[in-house]
Short mmCIF file of all heavy atoms in Angstrom, two decimals:
data_model
loop_
_atom_site.label_atom_id
_atom_site.label_comp_id
_atom_site.label_asym_id
_atom_site.label_seq_id
_atom_site.Cartn_x
_atom_site.Cartn_y
_atom_site.Cartn_z
N ALA A 29 7.09 11.01 -5.00
CA ALA A 29 5.88 11.09 -4.25
C ALA A 29 5.64 9.73 -3.62
O ALA A 29 6.00 8.69 -4.20
CB ALA A 29 4.72 11.47 -5.11
N PRO A 30 4.99 9.68 -2.45
CA PRO A 30 4.70 8.37 -1.82
C PRO A 30 3.66 7.61 -2.67
O PRO A 30 2.78 8.17 -3.30
CB PRO A 30 4.13 8.75 -0.45
CG PRO A 30 3.78 10.17 -0.50
CD PRO A 30 4.59 10.82 -1.65
N VAL A 31 3.80 6.28 -2.69
CA VAL A 31 2.83 5.41 -3.33
C VAL A 31 1.53 5.47 -2.58
O VAL A 31 0.42 5.64 -3.11
CB VAL A 31 3.31 3.95 -3.44
CG1 VAL A 31 2.28 3.03 -3.99
CG2 VAL A 31 4.57 3.88 -4.29
N ILE A 32 1.67 5.32 -1.21
CA ILE A 32 0.49 5.51 -0.31
C ILE A 32 0.84 6.64 0.65
O ILE A 32 1.84 6.52 1.41
CB ILE A 32 0.18 4.20 0.47
CG1 ILE A 32 -0.25 3.12 -0.51
CG2 ILE A 32 -0.92 4.47 1.49
CD1 ILE A 32 -0.54 1.76 0.18
N ASP A 33 0.12 7.72 0.59
CA ASP A 33 0.44 8.90 1.37
C ASP A 33 -0.22 8.71 2.78
O ASP A 33 -1.37 9.08 2.92
CB ASP A 33 -0.03 10.18 0.72
CG ASP A 33 0.61 11.39 1.32
OD1 ASP A 33 1.48 11.25 2.20
OD2 ASP A 33 0.21 12.54 0.97
N GLY A 34 0.56 8.10 3.70
CA GLY A 34 0.03 7.86 5.02
C GLY A 34 1.15 7.87 6.05
O GLY A 34 2.30 8.06 5.66
N VAL A 35 0.82 7.71 7.30
CA VAL A 35 1.80 7.68 8.34
C VAL A 35 2.25 6.28 8.61
O VAL A 35 1.40 5.41 8.93
CB VAL A 35 1.25 8.35 9.61
CG1 VAL A 35 2.27 8.34 10.75
CG2 VAL A 35 0.79 9.80 9.35
N GLU A 36 3.49 5.98 8.49
CA GLU A 36 4.03 4.64 8.71
C GLU A 36 3.78 4.23 10.14
O GLU A 36 3.87 5.01 11.10
CB GLU A 36 5.47 4.60 8.37
CG GLU A 36 5.73 4.74 6.86
CD GLU A 36 7.21 4.85 6.47
OE1 GLU A 36 8.07 4.83 7.36
OE2 GLU A 36 7.42 4.94 5.22
N GLY A 37 3.33 2.98 10.34
CA GLY A 37 3.01 2.41 11.62
C GLY A 37 1.56 2.64 12.06
O GLY A 37 1.13 2.23 13.15
N THR A 38 0.76 3.19 11.15
CA THR A 38 -0.68 3.40 11.44
C THR A 38 -1.50 2.53 10.51
O THR A 38 -1.02 2.10 9.42
CB THR A 38 -1.12 4.85 11.27
OG1 THR A 38 -0.92 5.21 9.92
CG2 THR A 38 -0.28 5.74 12.18
N PRO A 39 -2.77 2.24 10.85
CA PRO A 39 -3.67 1.49 10.00
C PRO A 39 -3.82 2.14 8.65
O PRO A 39 -3.90 3.33 8.53
CB PRO A 39 -5.00 1.41 10.76
CG PRO A 39 -4.61 1.66 12.17
CD PRO A 39 -3.44 2.64 12.13
N ALA A 40 -3.87 1.30 7.59
CA ALA A 40 -4.03 1.85 6.23
C ALA A 40 -4.88 0.84 5.45
O ALA A 40 -4.89 -0.33 5.62
CB ALA A 40 -2.65 1.96 5.57
N THR A 41 -5.74 1.46 4.60
CA THR A 41 -6.55 0.68 3.67
C THR A 41 -5.84 0.62 2.32
O THR A 41 -5.41 1.65 1.82
CB THR A 41 -7.97 1.31 3.54
OG1 THR A 41 -8.51 1.36 4.86
CG2 THR A 41 -8.85 0.49 2.63
N LEU A 42 -5.79 -0.49 1.71
CA LEU A 42 -5.20 -0.64 0.37
C LEU A 42 -6.10 0.04 -0.65
O LEU A 42 -7.28 -0.35 -0.77
CB LEU A 42 -5.04 -2.14 0.05
CG LEU A 42 -4.44 -2.46 -1.35
CD1 LEU A 42 -3.05 -1.97 -1.48
CD2 LEU A 42 -4.46 -3.97 -1.53
N PRO A 43 -5.59 1.04 -1.29
CA PRO A 43 -6.45 1.75 -2.30
C PRO A 43 -6.84 0.76 -3.45
O PRO A 43 -6.05 -0.07 -3.84
CB PRO A 43 -5.47 2.81 -2.83
CG PRO A 43 -4.48 3.03 -1.84
CD PRO A 43 -4.32 1.69 -1.14
N GLU A 44 -8.09 0.82 -3.83
CA GLU A 44 -8.59 -0.10 -4.84
C GLU A 44 -7.72 0.05 -6.11
O GLU A 44 -7.52 -0.95 -6.78
CB GLU A 44 -10.05 0.25 -5.18
CG GLU A 44 -10.85 -0.90 -5.62
CD GLU A 44 -12.31 -0.60 -5.70
OE1 GLU A 44 -12.92 -0.37 -4.64
OE2 GLU A 44 -12.85 -0.60 -6.85
N SER A 45 -7.27 1.21 -6.44
CA SER A 45 -6.52 1.46 -7.67
C SER A 45 -5.17 0.66 -7.64
O SER A 45 -4.58 0.42 -8.67
CB SER A 45 -6.27 2.89 -7.89
OG SER A 45 -5.52 3.45 -6.82
N LEU A 46 -4.69 0.27 -6.44
CA LEU A 46 -3.37 -0.38 -6.29
C LEU A 46 -3.56 -1.84 -5.97
O LEU A 46 -2.57 -2.57 -5.89
CB LEU A 46 -2.57 0.30 -5.23
CG LEU A 46 -2.16 1.78 -5.51
CD1 LEU A 46 -1.35 2.35 -4.29
CD2 LEU A 46 -1.35 1.90 -6.72
N ALA A 47 -4.78 -2.31 -5.77
CA ALA A 47 -5.01 -3.74 -5.39
C ALA A 47 -4.49 -4.64 -6.51
O ALA A 47 -4.78 -4.44 -7.66
CB ALA A 47 -6.48 -3.97 -5.14
N GLY A 48 -3.64 -5.58 -6.14
CA GLY A 48 -3.13 -6.56 -7.11
C GLY A 48 -1.89 -6.04 -7.86
O GLY A 48 -1.35 -6.76 -8.67
N ASP A 49 -1.46 -4.79 -7.62
CA ASP A 49 -0.29 -4.26 -8.28
C ASP A 49 0.95 -4.49 -7.41
O ASP A 49 1.28 -3.69 -6.56
CB ASP A 49 -0.47 -2.75 -8.53
CG ASP A 49 0.65 -2.16 -9.36
OD1 ASP A 49 1.66 -2.83 -9.58
OD2 ASP A 49 0.53 -0.97 -9.74
N ALA A 50 1.56 -5.65 -7.61
CA ALA A 50 2.68 -6.08 -6.78
C ALA A 50 3.93 -5.13 -6.98
O ALA A 50 4.77 -5.15 -6.11
CB ALA A 50 3.09 -7.51 -7.14
N ARG A 51 3.96 -4.38 -8.08
CA ARG A 51 5.05 -3.47 -8.27
C ARG A 51 4.86 -2.22 -7.32
O ARG A 51 5.84 -1.59 -6.96
CB ARG A 51 5.20 -3.05 -9.68
CG ARG A 51 5.70 -4.14 -10.55
CD ARG A 51 5.72 -3.72 -12.00
NE ARG A 51 6.21 -2.34 -12.16
CZ ARG A 51 7.11 -1.94 -13.04
NH1 ARG A 51 7.62 -2.84 -13.91
NH2 ARG A 51 7.49 -0.71 -13.10
N ALA A 52 3.61 -1.91 -7.05
CA ALA A 52 3.36 -0.67 -6.24
C ALA A 52 3.14 -0.99 -4.74
O ALA A 52 3.51 -0.13 -3.93
CB ALA A 52 2.07 0.02 -6.79
N VAL A 53 2.62 -2.12 -4.47
CA VAL A 53 2.30 -2.52 -3.09
C VAL A 53 2.79 -3.91 -2.82
O VAL A 53 2.39 -4.83 -3.52
CB VAL A 53 0.78 -2.37 -2.75
CG1 VAL A 53 0.54 -2.79 -1.35
CG2 VAL A 53 0.31 -0.99 -2.96
N LYS A 54 3.59 -4.07 -1.80
CA LYS A 54 4.07 -5.39 -1.37
C LYS A 54 3.40 -5.76 -0.08
O LYS A 54 3.51 -5.04 0.88
CB LYS A 54 5.61 -5.35 -1.16
CG LYS A 54 6.22 -6.59 -0.75
CD LYS A 54 7.70 -6.41 -0.51
CE LYS A 54 8.40 -7.62 0.05
NZ LYS A 54 9.81 -7.40 0.26
N LEU A 55 2.65 -6.82 -0.13
CA LEU A 55 1.94 -7.28 1.09
C LEU A 55 2.89 -8.13 1.90
O LEU A 55 3.48 -9.06 1.34
CB LEU A 55 0.68 -8.05 0.73
CG LEU A 55 -0.39 -7.30 -0.06
CD1 LEU A 55 -1.51 -8.19 -0.45
CD2 LEU A 55 -0.91 -6.07 0.71
N VAL A 56 3.04 -7.87 3.20
CA VAL A 56 3.94 -8.58 4.03
C VAL A 56 3.21 -9.03 5.28
O VAL A 56 2.16 -8.54 5.62
CB VAL A 56 5.21 -7.76 4.46
CG1 VAL A 56 6.01 -7.40 3.22
CG2 VAL A 56 4.78 -6.46 5.17
N GLY A 57 3.75 -9.95 6.04
CA GLY A 57 3.14 -10.42 7.25
C GLY A 57 2.22 -11.63 6.96
O GLY A 57 2.54 -12.49 6.15
N ASN A 58 1.07 -11.64 7.63
CA ASN A 58 0.11 -12.76 7.46
C ASN A 58 -0.80 -12.54 6.28
O ASN A 58 -2.03 -12.35 6.39
CB ASN A 58 -0.72 -12.95 8.74
CG ASN A 58 0.16 -13.29 9.92
OD1 ASN A 58 1.02 -14.16 9.87
ND2 ASN A 58 -0.04 -12.62 11.10
#
């Protein structure tokens, strides 16, 4: 199942439940 169920290339909000979970969400860019 997707970690974040959204359309790639579109705006997305980081779910609060995943904030700070580097294993689940990798922040890239600026």
